[in-house]
Amino acid sequence: MLKKIVCVAIPGMAPFEFGVICEVFGIDRSEHGGPAFDFHVVTAVPGALRTKIGFDIVVRDDLAAASDADLIAIPAYEAGSEIHPDVLRVVREAERRGAWVLSVCSGAFILGAAGILDGRRSTTHWMYAEALALAYPNTTVDPDVLFVEDDHVVTGAGTAAGIDAALHVVRRELGAAAANVIARRMVVPPQRDGGQSQFIQAPIPEQRSDSFATITDWMLQSLDQDLTVDQLARRALMSPRTFARRFRAELGTTPTAWLNRQRLILAQQLLEETDETLDLIAAQTGFGAASVMRHHFVRSLQTTPTAYRRTFGRRRTAPDYAGTVPGGPDYGVVARKTSPEPAKVSVPSSGVM
């Protein structure tokens, strides 16, 4: 269970990304049916830390609280300065005991310096993906996605993608409804998955008629139907090729991937909040059969519908987060390899923020 969260403050860190970690994990939302974490901000050398913007943040606690944390979170920082060896030690120890490790944006360079990205997939801000791959060639860097989870190590892309990565961890540990309480309070969408593209070509359409809001609203109301790209294109008055191209440009993913994502979200909600059979849920969500739904759960969420209901269903003894809009996890998992402990490491100066 995700209870104790430790954010490691780094000299030269970016205030927004640091704030994302504090916002997701540092606020007691139990009054609204959400989680309340045991949240700590620590640093290697307590005192005033200069941020990337130029003002100081005073951190009074050292790294002792990190020894039994369920999650170690590393914000973005201004690269080029030497990383304190105790920070690298804390990250390595967390990974070894099976705790979650989360980095936002350039924080991935610290995970790389600690050696825990070796044999794993990872990501960072698209501007710095090449630098990360060059500095740590034993990790497979995906420059396009919002975040990557690989065996409890989560690397997030730039800035706002840190919200998606952090909510992913909450969702994986506490269920979709818990993540949705946080997302609703933050006024952010809870449903962006890791595989969505970092770079959306047309986030603000020039004309409202060009927006996909109408067609996506209809898709959400029609998840129980067998929706094809050809059918969606006809409804949008476009050719299938144009529809697929413009859908990805505006929403950052393909129509089929978006549909499967929304079906998983709805299935998670129904598994958490109802006692309906798997076959009925599969029919209501457009998967058709329980076996097909199970395939998508295992591929995307690394669990089965039955196991998900057992963990997050309404009969569980954990806090009840019901009454929220649906949400869900996602990005693929690959096998990890054991990596040697690096010596004292400086993150390469590459302009990373």
Side-chain angles (χ1 to χ4, degrees):
M1 184 66 72
L2 192 66
K3 295 180 179 178
K4 185 175 182 180
I5 316 296
V6 170
C7 175
V8 181
I10 309 293
M13 66 185 177
F16 181 91
E17 286 81 348
F18 171 72
V20 163
I21 296 170
C22 295
E23 178 73 20
V24 173
F25 299 109
I27 297 177
D28 183 346
R29 293 185 170 88
S30 56
E31 181 181 355
H32 297 270
F37 299 107
D38 179 17
F39 182 73
H40 302 261
V41 176
V42 303
T43 190
V45 181
L49 276 72
R50 181 58 53 95
T51 67
K52 180 179 183 292
I53 304 301
F55 61 86
D56 290 351
I57 292 177
V58 177
V59 180
R60 303 186 185 281
D61 295 332
D62 63 19
L63 298 172
S67 62
D68 60 348
D70 301 307
L71 167 66
I72 299 293
I74 307 292
Y77 74 108
E78 191 171 29
S81 57
E82 188 174 290
I83 303 304
H84 197 288
D86 284 345
V87 172
L88 302 180
R89 173 184 55 79
V90 161
V91 170
R92 287 194 293 267
E93 289 176 351
E95 188 268 346
R96 284 176 186 152
R97 68 174 181 270
W100 287 91
V101 180
L102 165 69
S103 68
V104 181
C105 193
S106 56
F109 283 79
I110 293 178
L111 273 55
I116 70 168
L117 294 185
D118 289 359
R120 283 186 164 100
R121 295 189 62 146
S122 63
T123 193
T124 187
H125 193 290
W126 57 268
M127 289 176 62
Y128 314 123
E130 183 177 356
L132 183 66
L134 289 172
Y136 305 107
N138 291 328
T139 181
T140 302
V141 180
D142 189 334
D144 187 52
V145 298
L146 293 179
F147 62 85
V148 172
E149 181 210 331
D150 192 332
D151 193 16
H152 284 72
V153 173
V154 180
T155 47
T159 315
I163 300 174
D164 301 293
L167 289 176
H168 169 76
V169 176
V170 175
R171 198 176 293 114
R172 289 269 280 148
E173 284 290 301
L174 301 180
N180 294 329
V181 170
I182 299 174
R184 178 177 290 179
R185 281 285 304 274
M186 293 178 66
V187 198
V188 297
Q191 72 271 22
R192 297 206 307 176
D193 73 271
Q196 186 168 319
S197 176
Q198 289 189 38
F199 181 68
I200 299 177
Q201 297 175 29
I204 304 177
E206 293 181 4
Q207 298 178 3
R208 180 64 185 172
S209 60
D210 289 337
S211 174
F212 276 79
T214 301
I215 189 67
T216 54
D217 286 346
W218 181 80
M219 291 162 73
L220 287 173
Q221 298 301 317
S222 309
L223 291 178
D224 59 333
Q225 301 180 30
D226 182 16
L227 303 178
T228 66
V229 173
D230 286 351
Q231 179 185 358
L232 296 171
R234 285 195 300 271
R235 189 174 186 89
L237 303 178
M238 301 178 192
S239 70
R241 178 177 293 182
T242 299
F243 176 81
R245 174 176 55 80
R246 292 180 60 183
F247 192 98
R248 183 172 183 84
E250 183 165 330
L251 297 177
T253 189
T254 66
T256 300
W258 192 91
L259 268 173
N260 286 335
R261 171 67 174 167
Q262 304 311 315
R263 285 171 170 150
L264 278 172
I265 289 170
L266 180 57
Q268 287 177 279
Q269 181 187 28
L270 295 175
L271 288 167
E272 289 189 29
E273 299 177 2
T274 75
D275 294 319
E276 293 176 349
T277 66
L278 298 186
D279 283 325
L280 183 56
I281 291 175
Q284 291 176 337
T285 55
F287 288 120
S291 59
V292 176
M293 182 171 70
R294 185 183 190 279
H295 167 78
H296 284 278
F297 262 74
V298 171
R299 186 180 68 176
S300 297
L301 311 182
Q302 295 84 54
T303 189
T304 65
T306 300
Y308 186 90
R309 169 173 273 172
R310 186 183 305 118
T311 303
F312 300 118
R314 61 185 182 182
R315 290 198 180 103
R316 64 189 175 131
T317 58
D320 180 12
Y321 303 112
T324 60
V325 296
D330 191 27
Y331 199 64
V333 175
V334 298
R336 64 184 177 90
K337 301 176 183 177
T338 302
S339 57
E341 294 186 10
K344 189 175 180 183
V345 179
S346 294
V347 177
S349 179
S350 57
V352 178
M353 53 163 281

